[in-house]
Amino acid sequence: MAHTFFFATSLFAVLASVVLATNTSCFPGDATVQMYNGDLKLMRDLEVGDKVAVSKNVFSDIYAFGHKDADVISEFIQVHTASDMIELSEGHFIPVDAKGKLVYKRAKDLQVGETLWGSSQITELSKVEKLGLYNPFTLSGNIMVNNVEASSHSEWFLDSLFDAIGATEYLPHAYQAVLAPLRAIYNIVGKEIYAEGYAAMDSCVNFAEFGAKYGGSIALTVGIAGVATAMLATKA
């Protein structure tokens, strides 16, 4: 009986995660991510449950993908600093150092001379077309890509509201809060059971189409239902 509840919880988790596929802000497939064991892994090879670097010497699990499309060619903003380079979609958020304060900005709003958080000053900005669209979501809300710290989050359904009130920099925090129920499910049922349920659903549900149709408005409803199911499972 407990396993039945656990599996149902995994289904809820995956259904909640499909709403992440409502935007196209991602990283290219050849971007690199440091694993917990020190190895480097290509973005296109990452999987749910992988423990990846999210800042210097800090690691966190991947619990969902907003996009995982190997075949699409998209435009990315290539951000160069004196020591690093990262490529990300124009609507993806990345932290900058604003006089010692961490501030999130969209890639399209970056300027030469600004300092990336934990890195160095931006020396060049350009646009490039690359293969693959990947948007892994970590429990922490950040991810290190090409040795540069970036947010897991990008443009979604709250952007217009936050832009209107001058609170754009807080959008990654807002989206992290919206997806809290999904992360709770991951923590309650555990990595293995969650990953198994996610993989099973991913093989039969087109997350991108479902997310585009129903949007972010269902994230909390489904996520909260999943948490309730998970809590029942722990008592079974």
Side-chain angles (χ1 to χ4, degrees), residues 6 22 29 64 92-93 116 125 135 164-165 167 176 192 201 231:
F6 282 140
T22 59
H92 207 98
F93 290 100
L116 295 183
L125 294 167
N135 191 187
I165 63 176
Q176 185 74 351
E192 293 184 2
M201 286 297 294
M231 294 182 71

Side-chain angles (χ1 to χ4, degrees), residues 144-222:
M144 291 277 286
V145 178
N146 292 357
N147 201 40
V148 177
E149 186 172 341
S151 174
S152 293
H153 302 289
S154 54
E155 290 181 325
W156 199 16
F157 68 104
L158 292 176
D159 279 54
S160 59
L161 172 61
F162 276 60
D163 288 346
I165 63 176
T168 303
E169 66 182 272
Y170 300 106
L171 277 164
H173 302 291
Y175 291 138
Q176 185 74 351
V178 167
L179 297 171
L182 185 55
R183 295 192 302 278
I185 295 168
Y186 184 95
N187 290 323
I188 291 170
V189 304
K191 177 191 300 187
E192 293 184 2
I193 293 174
Y194 179 99
E196 183 180 346
Y198 191 100
M201 286 297 294
D202 194 21
S203 67
C204 61
V205 176
N206 188 320
F207 289 172
E209 289 185 4
F210 191 93
K213 181 176 180 181
Y214 296 106
S217 61
I218 66 172
L220 284 178
T221 302
V222 179

Side-chain angles (χ1 to χ4, degrees), residues 20-49:
L20 306 178
T22 59
N23 59 67
T24 56
S25 296
C26 311
F27 304 101
D30 64 352
T32 59
V33 177
Q34 182 185 349
M35 307 300 292
Y36 183 70
N37 64 4
D39 292 342
L40 290 179
K41 198 170 187 179
L42 293 177
M43 183 70 63
R44 60 174 174 261
D45 296 327
L46 292 176
E47 300 176 351
V48 167

Side-chain angles (χ1 to χ4, degrees), residues 107-128:
K108 64 183 178 183
D109 296 325
L110 294 174
Q111 297 180 12
V112 171
E114 290 183 313
T115 300
L116 295 183
W117 187 259
S119 184
S120 53
Q121 282 192 338
I122 298 172
T123 58
E124 181 183 351
L125 294 167
S126 59
K127 293 184 178 180
V128 61

Side-chain angles (χ1 to χ4, degrees), residues 42-60:
L42 293 177
M43 183 70 63
R44 60 174 174 261
D45 296 327
L46 292 176
E47 300 176 351
V48 167
D50 280 348
K51 185 179 289 293
V52 300
V54 295
S55 63
K56 301 294 184 182
N57 301 315
V58 179
F59 297 83
S60 184

